């Protein structure tokens, strides 16, 4: 038994070794040891140590395994900008050598981190200058053209001996790019400026529109005119024009005035939590200053409907309101828009155009030469209609009852040359006299079908496809108007209409723009098909010949098929959809 266990362990060990990628086995022992140490630190959640080990492994032998370890450690440390660059380097430098799981993880992390970071471009022409962003050193110029940093505000510092330090504050939007172009000014060509605020509140100082820091602030500026101003969340100091000369020292005192807006909110019964811009400010009442600009007020209380209002306040503007919360209709957890499940009763209706594919199988389309005509023109039918449906869905598939009604018409022509006809059938229209016969085919009807519907949705859009079978009925009438070369006319309307019953096929594809969680505007295409030759009648019987003009000429009236075979209608539509 011991020998058997030994043989089993040896077999499993051989499988494990065989499954290790060749490029990993080919790494130096030092790199493998550092990767093993990094893995151990990761399991122990000591991500700083893991980062050091993976970087040592990459230095000893660059590999996708070591680069992925660096990226994962930075990700777990919350260093989103560096983590993005590390995953990007792994994809660009080692992508073909990585397994499908690693490539999928890189794609997922890059997508996630792109929404949290942006690119900072530091365009520095002066070489040998030390550059750092928020205290993180990037080395000396030239520095990387693009640096990935977290979205938000950042401070860029550039220092070089013999030059005035450069500081700039820059805002980075998610997955965006911001550019900083530091201009280093030699110290012997600058003047020194000291800025103070006269009020009790510190101000953010701007020099020529660039935020350089908070008061008290001092720094060196190149000679010439400069506009120096200040601002805080509730105060503003107008810009002062200062003429700086080389080697001088200039003091600037910023005089601020209040610009704060004011919000006063209370509930009618003194209960409820009041939030301003997502921060709770009080229970039942709040009064305080806010910075000018957009703000959102929310009042919540268990068992009551949430109150929310957005506004934009100008400088020194006051907003005051007393809020009366309404009792909630039904207790239960609130739902975030877009997260609502697709289960329950749904329905919809719409108006549509109707465009027939083909000629519809009329007598002119199928038997033009048998009628004695020299040529026939048989365009498809055009019309319109409406539909409605109601059903029940279990996310993402539901079943529904579909009702459909439409009407359409087509105008077709037969040309008769006037040559003699030798037909023995008196009811087959002869080519005499020469004439043009214009046929108007009108039909109307409806259908009922049982359909299945599949649905998918996002926060604002819902896509859906449906299809099913049912039963249709069509009623059809015809009118024939003839005009000969002399201008004489003859009109024939069969005394009876024709109607047929047929199995029907219904298909639909649509997009819904969601006005709310349960209501959407629907735009799509209905496809409807049946067959005019299955049941009922699709033709009118023959009738006597009718005179035309005063010459004694007559026009035979044979049996006319108003439709034959498959009938396919395309219906672009606009409607409303109701759903869970």
């Amino acid at each position: 038994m011991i020998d058997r266990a030994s043989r089993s362990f040896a077999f499993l060990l051989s499988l494990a070794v065989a499954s290790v990628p060749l490029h990993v086995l080919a790494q130096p022992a030092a790199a493998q040891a550092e990767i093993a140490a990094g893995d151990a630190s990761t399991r122990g959640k000591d991500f700083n140590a893991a980062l050091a080990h993976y970087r040592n492994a990459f230095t000893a032998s660059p590999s996708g395994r070591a680069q992925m370890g660096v990226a994962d450690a930075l990700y777990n440390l919350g260093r989103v900008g560096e983590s993005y660059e590390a995953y990007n380097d792994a994809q660009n430098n080692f992508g073909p050598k990585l397994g499908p799981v690693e490539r999928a993880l890189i794609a997922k992390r890059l997508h996630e981190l792109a929404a949290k970071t942006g690119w900072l471009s530091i365009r520095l022409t002066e070489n040998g200058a030390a550059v750092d962003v928020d205290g993180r050193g990037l080395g000396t110029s030239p520095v990387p053209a693009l640096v990935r940093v977290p979205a938000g505000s950042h401070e860029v510092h550039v220092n070089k001996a013999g030059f005035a330090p450069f500081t700039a504050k820059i805002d980075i939007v998610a997955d965006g790019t911001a550019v900083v172009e530091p201009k280093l000014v030699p110290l012997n060509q600058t003047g020194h400026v000291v800025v103070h605020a006269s009020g009790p509140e510190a101000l953010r100082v701007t020099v020529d529109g660039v935020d350089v820091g908070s008061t008290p602030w001092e720094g060196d500026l190149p000679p010439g005119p400069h506009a120096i101003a200040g601002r805080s969340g509730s105060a503003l100091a107008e810009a002062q024009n200062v003429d700086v000369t080389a080697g001088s020292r200039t003091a600037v005192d910023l005089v601020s005035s209040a610009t704060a807006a004011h919000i006063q909110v209370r509930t009618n019964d003194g209960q409820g939590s009041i939030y301003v811009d997502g921060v709770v400010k009080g229970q039942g009442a709040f009064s305080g200053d806010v910075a000018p600009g957009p703000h959102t007020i929310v009042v919540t209380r268990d068992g009551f409907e949430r109150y929310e209002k957005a506004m934009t306040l100008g400088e020194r503007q006051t907003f005051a309101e007393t809020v009366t919360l309404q009792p909630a209709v039904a207790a239960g957890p609130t739902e975030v828009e877009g997260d609502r499940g697709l289960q329950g009763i749904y329905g919809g209706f719409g108006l549509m155009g109707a465009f027939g594919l083909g000629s519809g199988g009329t007598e002119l389309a199928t038997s033009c030469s048998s009628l004695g005509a020299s040529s026939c023109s048989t365009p498809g039918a055009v019309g319109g209609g409406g539909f409605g449906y109601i059903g029940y869905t279990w996310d993402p598939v539901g079943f529904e009852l579909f009702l459909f009604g439409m009407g359409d018409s087509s105008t077709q022509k037969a040309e008769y040359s006037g040559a003699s006809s030798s037909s023995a059938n008196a009811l087959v229209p002869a080519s005499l006299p020469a004439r043009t016969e214009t046929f108007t085919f009108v039909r109307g009807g409806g259908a009922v079908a049982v359909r299945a519907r599949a649905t998918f949705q996002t926060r604002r859009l819902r896509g859906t496809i449906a299809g099913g079978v049912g039963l249709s009925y069509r009623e059809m009438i015809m009118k024939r108007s003839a005009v000969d070369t002399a201008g004489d006319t003859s009109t024939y309307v069969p005394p009876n209409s024709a109607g047929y019953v047929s199995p029907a096929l219904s298909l639909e594809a649509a997009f819904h723009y969601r006005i709310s969680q349960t209501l959407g505007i629907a735009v799509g295409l209905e496809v409807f098909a049946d067959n005019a030759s299955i049941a009922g009648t699709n033709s009118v019987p023959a009738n006597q010949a009718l005179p035309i003009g005063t010459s004694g000429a007559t026009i035979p009236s044979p049996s006319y098929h108003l439709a034959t075979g498959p009938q396919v209608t395309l219906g672009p539509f606009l409607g409303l959809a109701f759903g869970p």
Side-chain angles (χ1 to χ4, degrees), residues 174-196:
D175 209 23
T177 301
V179 177
V180 178
E181 297 181 335
K183 303 296 183 184
L184 295 184
V185 179
L187 288 176
N188 59 353
Q189 298 180 6
T190 62
H192 196 72
V193 178
V194 179
V195 181
H196 292 277

PDB file of all heavy atoms in Angstrom, residues 174-196:
ATOM      1  N   ALA A 174     -12.055  61.084 -15.281  1.00  0.00           N
ATOM      2  CA  ALA A 174     -11.916  59.653 -15.519  1.00  0.00           C
ATOM      3  C   ALA A 174     -11.703  59.356 -16.995  1.00  0.00           C
ATOM      4  O   ALA A 174     -12.450  59.816 -17.845  1.00  0.00           O
ATOM      5  CB  ALA A 174     -13.159  58.911 -15.010  1.00  0.00           C
ATOM      6  N   ASP A 175     -10.614  58.601 -17.278  1.00  0.00           N
ATOM      7  CA  ASP A 175     -10.236  58.175 -18.628  1.00  0.00           C
ATOM      8  C   ASP A 175      -9.990  59.353 -19.553  1.00  0.00           C
ATOM      9  O   ASP A 175     -10.099  59.212 -20.760  1.00  0.00           O
ATOM     10  CB  ASP A 175     -11.299  57.251 -19.222  1.00  0.00           C
ATOM     11  CG  ASP A 175     -10.661  56.272 -20.217  1.00  0.00           C
ATOM     12  OD1 ASP A 175      -9.445  55.999 -20.127  1.00  0.00           O
ATOM     13  OD2 ASP A 175     -11.392  55.798 -21.101  1.00  0.00           O
ATOM     14  N   GLY A 176      -9.682  60.530 -18.983  1.00  0.00           N
ATOM     15  CA  GLY A 176      -9.367  61.697 -19.790  1.00  0.00           C
ATOM     16  C   GLY A 176      -7.874  61.987 -19.769  1.00  0.00           C
ATOM     17  O   GLY A 176      -7.075  61.258 -19.182  1.00  0.00           O
ATOM     18  N   THR A 177      -7.503  63.056 -20.426  1.00  0.00           N
ATOM     19  CA  THR A 177      -6.089  63.445 -20.502  1.00  0.00           C
ATOM     20  C   THR A 177      -5.974  64.927 -20.178  1.00  0.00           C
ATOM     21  O   THR A 177      -6.732  65.737 -20.719  1.00  0.00           O
ATOM     22  CB  THR A 177      -5.511  63.180 -21.900  1.00  0.00           C
ATOM     23  OG1 THR A 177      -5.634  61.790 -22.194  1.00  0.00           O
ATOM     24  CG2 THR A 177      -4.049  63.587 -21.964  1.00  0.00           C
ATOM     25  N   ALA A 178      -5.100  65.271 -19.249  1.00  0.00           N
ATOM     26  CA  ALA A 178      -4.827  66.667 -18.915  1.00  0.00           C
ATOM     27  C   ALA A 178      -3.348  66.939 -19.198  1.00  0.00           C
ATOM     28  O   ALA A 178      -2.488  66.082 -18.984  1.00  0.00           O
ATOM     29  CB  ALA A 178      -5.157  66.963 -17.459  1.00  0.00           C
ATOM     30  N   VAL A 179      -3.092  68.137 -19.668  1.00  0.00           N
ATOM     31  CA  VAL A 179      -1.735  68.490 -20.094  1.00  0.00           C
ATOM     32  C   VAL A 179      -1.190  69.611 -19.205  1.00  0.00           C
ATOM     33  O   VAL A 179      -1.898  70.589 -18.939  1.00  0.00           O
ATOM     34  CB  VAL A 179      -1.722  68.936 -21.578  1.00  0.00           C
ATOM     35  CG1 VAL A 179      -0.319  69.363 -21.994  1.00  0.00           C
ATOM     36  CG2 VAL A 179      -2.227  67.819 -22.463  1.00  0.00           C
ATOM     37  N   VAL A 180       0.037  69.441 -18.726  1.00  0.00           N
ATOM     38  CA  VAL A 180       0.746  70.488 -17.987  1.00  0.00           C
ATOM     39  C   VAL A 180       2.035  70.796 -18.741  1.00  0.00           C
ATOM     40  O   VAL A 180       2.783  69.876 -19.096  1.00  0.00           O
ATOM     41  CB  VAL A 180       1.071  70.040 -16.546  1.00  0.00           C
ATOM     42  CG1 VAL A 180       1.862  71.125 -15.818  1.00  0.00           C
ATOM     43  CG2 VAL A 180      -0.201  69.732 -15.782  1.00  0.00           C
ATOM     44  N   GLU A 181       2.270  72.054 -18.997  1.00  0.00           N
ATOM     45  CA  GLU A 181       3.476  72.476 -19.706  1.00  0.00           C
ATOM     46  C   GLU A 181       4.290  73.410 -18.798  1.00  0.00           C
ATOM     47  O   GLU A 181       4.169  74.628 -18.863  1.00  0.00           O
ATOM     48  CB  GLU A 181       3.107  73.179 -21.009  1.00  0.00           C
ATOM     49  CG  GLU A 181       2.366  72.281 -21.993  1.00  0.00           C
ATOM     50  CD  GLU A 181       2.038  72.997 -23.300  1.00  0.00           C
ATOM     51  OE1 GLU A 181       1.936  74.242 -23.294  1.00  0.00           O
ATOM     52  OE2 GLU A 181       1.886  72.318 -24.304  1.00  0.00           O
ATOM     53  N   PRO A 182       5.101  72.837 -17.912  1.00  0.00           N
ATOM     54  CA  PRO A 182       5.875  73.666 -16.980  1.00  0.00           C
ATOM     55  C   PRO A 182       6.852  74.575 -17.720  1.00  0.00           C
ATOM     56  O   PRO A 182       7.526  74.150 -18.664  1.00  0.00           O
ATOM     57  CB  PRO A 182       6.605  72.627 -16.124  1.00  0.00           C
ATOM     58  CG  PRO A 182       5.857  71.351 -16.319  1.00  0.00           C
ATOM     59  CD  PRO A 182       5.341  71.404 -17.700  1.00  0.00           C
ATOM     60  N   LYS A 183       6.904  75.816 -17.292  1.00  0.00           N
ATOM     61  CA  LYS A 183       7.873  76.778 -17.824  1.00  0.00           C
ATOM     62  C   LYS A 183       8.834  77.134 -16.691  1.00  0.00           C
ATOM     63  O   LYS A 183       8.444  77.793 -15.718  1.00  0.00           O
ATOM     64  CB  LYS A 183       7.162  78.033 -18.338  1.00  0.00           C
ATOM     65  CG  LYS A 183       6.105  77.765 -19.396  1.00  0.00           C
ATOM     66  CD  LYS A 183       6.705  77.180 -20.676  1.00  0.00           C
ATOM     67  CE  LYS A 183       5.634  76.998 -21.745  1.00  0.00           C
ATOM     68  NZ  LYS A 183       6.164  76.340 -22.957  1.00  0.00           N
ATOM     69  N   LEU A 184      10.066  76.652 -16.782  1.00  0.00           N
ATOM     70  CA  LEU A 184      11.053  76.930 -15.744  1.00  0.00           C
ATOM     71  C   LEU A 184      11.737  78.267 -16.047  1.00  0.00           C
ATOM     72  O   LEU A 184      12.209  78.497 -17.164  1.00  0.00           O
ATOM     73  CB  LEU A 184      12.083  75.801 -15.677  1.00  0.00           C
ATOM     74  CG  LEU A 184      11.532  74.429 -15.247  1.00  0.00           C
ATOM     75  CD1 LEU A 184      12.673  73.426 -15.126  1.00  0.00           C
ATOM     76  CD2 LEU A 184      10.758  74.526 -13.950  1.00  0.00           C
ATOM     77  N   VAL A 185      11.752  79.121 -15.033  1.00  0.00           N
ATOM     78  CA  VAL A 185      12.307  80.472 -15.193  1.00  0.00           C
ATOM     79  C   VAL A 185      13.587  80.572 -14.372  1.00  0.00           C
ATOM     80  O   VAL A 185      13.600  80.255 -13.175  1.00  0.00           O
ATOM     81  CB  VAL A 185      11.300  81.531 -14.712  1.00  0.00           C
ATOM     82  CG1 VAL A 185      11.881  82.930 -14.858  1.00  0.00           C
ATOM     83  CG2 VAL A 185       9.997  81.395 -15.485  1.00  0.00           C
ATOM     84  N   PRO A 186      14.689  80.970 -14.992  1.00  0.00           N
ATOM     85  CA  PRO A 186      15.938  81.123 -14.221  1.00  0.00           C
ATOM     86  C   PRO A 186      15.728  82.095 -13.058  1.00  0.00           C
ATOM     87  O   PRO A 186      15.041  83.106 -13.175  1.00  0.00           O
ATOM     88  CB  PRO A 186      16.917  81.680 -15.259  1.00  0.00           C
ATOM     89  CG  PRO A 186      16.356  81.241 -16.583  1.00  0.00           C
ATOM     90  CD  PRO A 186      14.872  81.266 -16.415  1.00  0.00           C
ATOM     91  N   LEU A 187      16.361  81.778 -11.909  1.00  0.00           N
ATOM     92  CA  LEU A 187      16.160  82.589 -10.706  1.00  0.00           C
ATOM     93  C   LEU A 187      16.630  84.031 -10.884  1.00  0.00           C
ATOM     94  O   LEU A 187      16.059  84.943 -10.299  1.00  0.00           O
ATOM     95  CB  LEU A 187      16.894  81.936  -9.522  1.00  0.00           C
ATOM     96  CG  LEU A 187      16.257  80.648  -8.981  1.00  0.00           C
ATOM     97  CD1 LEU A 187      17.128  80.046  -7.886  1.00  0.00           C
ATOM     98  CD2 LEU A 187      14.856  80.940  -8.441  1.00  0.00           C
ATOM     99  N   ASN A 188      17.651  84.207 -11.678  1.00  0.00           N
ATOM    100  CA  ASN A 188      18.150  85.575 -11.822  1.00  0.00           C
ATOM    101  C   ASN A 188      17.254  86.422 -12.725  1.00  0.00           C
ATOM    102  O   ASN A 188      17.537  87.576 -12.989  1.00  0.00           O
ATOM    103  CB  ASN A 188      19.577  85.574 -12.362  1.00  0.00           C
ATOM    104  CG  ASN A 188      19.673  84.876 -13.719  1.00  0.00           C
ATOM    105  OD1 ASN A 188      18.715  84.298 -14.193  1.00  0.00           O
ATOM    106  ND2 ASN A 188      20.863  84.947 -14.313  1.00  0.00           N
ATOM    107  N   GLN A 189      16.142  85.846 -13.224  1.00  0.00           N
ATOM    108  CA  GLN A 189      15.231  86.590 -14.057  1.00  0.00           C
ATOM    109  C   GLN A 189      13.819  86.604 -13.475  1.00  0.00           C
ATOM    110  O   GLN A 189      12.846  86.748 -14.204  1.00  0.00           O
ATOM    111  CB  GLN A 189      15.194  85.982 -15.473  1.00  0.00           C
ATOM    112  CG  GLN A 189      16.530  86.043 -16.191  1.00  0.00           C
ATOM    113  CD  GLN A 189      16.446  85.440 -17.582  1.00  0.00           C
ATOM    114  OE1 GLN A 189      15.366  85.080 -18.040  1.00  0.00           O
ATOM    115  NE2 GLN A 189      17.582  85.340 -18.253  1.00  0.00           N
ATOM    116  N   THR A 190      13.698  86.414 -12.182  1.00  0.00           N
ATOM    117  CA  THR A 190      12.374  86.367 -11.554  1.00  0.00           C
ATOM    118  C   THR A 190      12.279  87.390 -10.448  1.00  0.00           C
ATOM    119  O   THR A 190      13.280  87.900  -9.937  1.00  0.00           O
ATOM    120  CB  THR A 190      12.091  84.969 -10.969  1.00  0.00           C
ATOM    121  OG1 THR A 190      13.064  84.690  -9.942  1.00  0.00           O
ATOM    122  CG2 THR A 190      12.153  83.907 -12.044  1.00  0.00           C
ATOM    123  N   GLY A 191      11.023  87.679 -10.086  1.00  0.00           N
ATOM    124  CA  GLY A 191      10.753  88.479  -8.907  1.00  0.00           C
ATOM    125  C   GLY A 191       9.999  87.635  -7.906  1.00  0.00           C
ATOM    126  O   GLY A 191       9.299  86.679  -8.283  1.00  0.00           O
ATOM    127  N   HIS A 192      10.127  87.953  -6.628  1.00  0.00           N
ATOM    128  CA  HIS A 192       9.507  87.162  -5.568  1.00  0.00           C
ATOM    129  C   HIS A 192       8.190  87.823  -5.156  1.00  0.00           C
ATOM    130  O   HIS A 192       8.144  89.026  -4.900  1.00  0.00           O
ATOM    131  CB  HIS A 192      10.439  87.043  -4.366  1.00  0.00           C
ATOM    132  CG  HIS A 192      10.039  85.961  -3.413  1.00  0.00           C
ATOM    133  ND1 HIS A 192      10.183  84.633  -3.717  1.00  0.00           N
ATOM    134  CD2 HIS A 192       9.485  86.015  -2.177  1.00  0.00           C
ATOM    135  CE1 HIS A 192       9.751  83.911  -2.708  1.00  0.00           C
ATOM    136  NE2 HIS A 192       9.322  84.733  -1.744  1.00  0.00           N
ATOM    137  N   VAL A 193       7.121  87.021  -5.099  1.00  0.00           N
ATOM    138  CA  VAL A 193       5.785  87.534  -4.752  1.00  0.00           C
ATOM    139  C   VAL A 193       5.282  86.784  -3.527  1.00  0.00           C
ATOM    140  O   VAL A 193       5.365  85.551  -3.449  1.00  0.00           O
ATOM    141  CB  VAL A 193       4.806  87.350  -5.926  1.00  0.00           C
ATOM    142  CG1 VAL A 193       3.415  87.831  -5.533  1.00  0.00           C
ATOM    143  CG2 VAL A 193       5.304  88.109  -7.150  1.00  0.00           C
ATOM    144  N   VAL A 194       4.756  87.561  -2.551  1.00  0.00           N
ATOM    145  CA  VAL A 194       4.174  87.012  -1.332  1.00  0.00           C
ATOM    146  C   VAL A 194       2.701  87.414  -1.296  1.00  0.00           C
ATOM    147  O   VAL A 194       2.370  88.588  -1.449  1.00  0.00           O
ATOM    148  CB  VAL A 194       4.901  87.531  -0.073  1.00  0.00           C
ATOM    149  CG1 VAL A 194       4.262  86.954   1.183  1.00  0.00           C
ATOM    150  CG2 VAL A 194       6.383  87.200  -0.138  1.00  0.00           C
ATOM    151  N   VAL A 195       1.823  86.412  -1.130  1.00  0.00           N
ATOM    152  CA  VAL A 195       0.382  86.666  -1.170  1.00  0.00           C
ATOM    153  C   VAL A 195      -0.237  86.276   0.165  1.00  0.00           C
ATOM    154  O   VAL A 195      -0.014  85.161   0.669  1.00  0.00           O
ATOM    155  CB  VAL A 195      -0.290  85.875  -2.313  1.00  0.00           C
ATOM    156  CG1 VAL A 195      -1.790  86.174  -2.369  1.00  0.00           C
ATOM    157  CG2 VAL A 195       0.381  86.208  -3.650  1.00  0.00           C
ATOM    158  N   HIS A 196      -1.019  87.236   0.750  1.00  0.00           N
ATOM    159  CA  HIS A 196      -1.769  86.993   1.983  1.00  0.00           C
ATOM    160  C   HIS A 196      -3.245  87.274   1.732  1.00  0.00           C
ATOM    161  O   HIS A 196      -3.597  88.027   0.812  1.00  0.00           O
ATOM    162  CB  HIS A 196      -1.262  87.886   3.118  1.00  0.00           C
ATOM    163  CG  HIS A 196       0.129  87.545   3.574  1.00  0.00           C
ATOM    164  ND1 HIS A 196       0.396  86.536   4.467  1.00  0.00           N
ATOM    165  CD2 HIS A 196       1.334  88.097   3.242  1.00  0.00           C
ATOM    166  CE1 HIS A 196       1.691  86.468   4.676  1.00  0.00           C
ATOM    167  NE2 HIS A 196       2.302  87.410   3.937  1.00  0.00           N
TER     168      HIS A 196
END
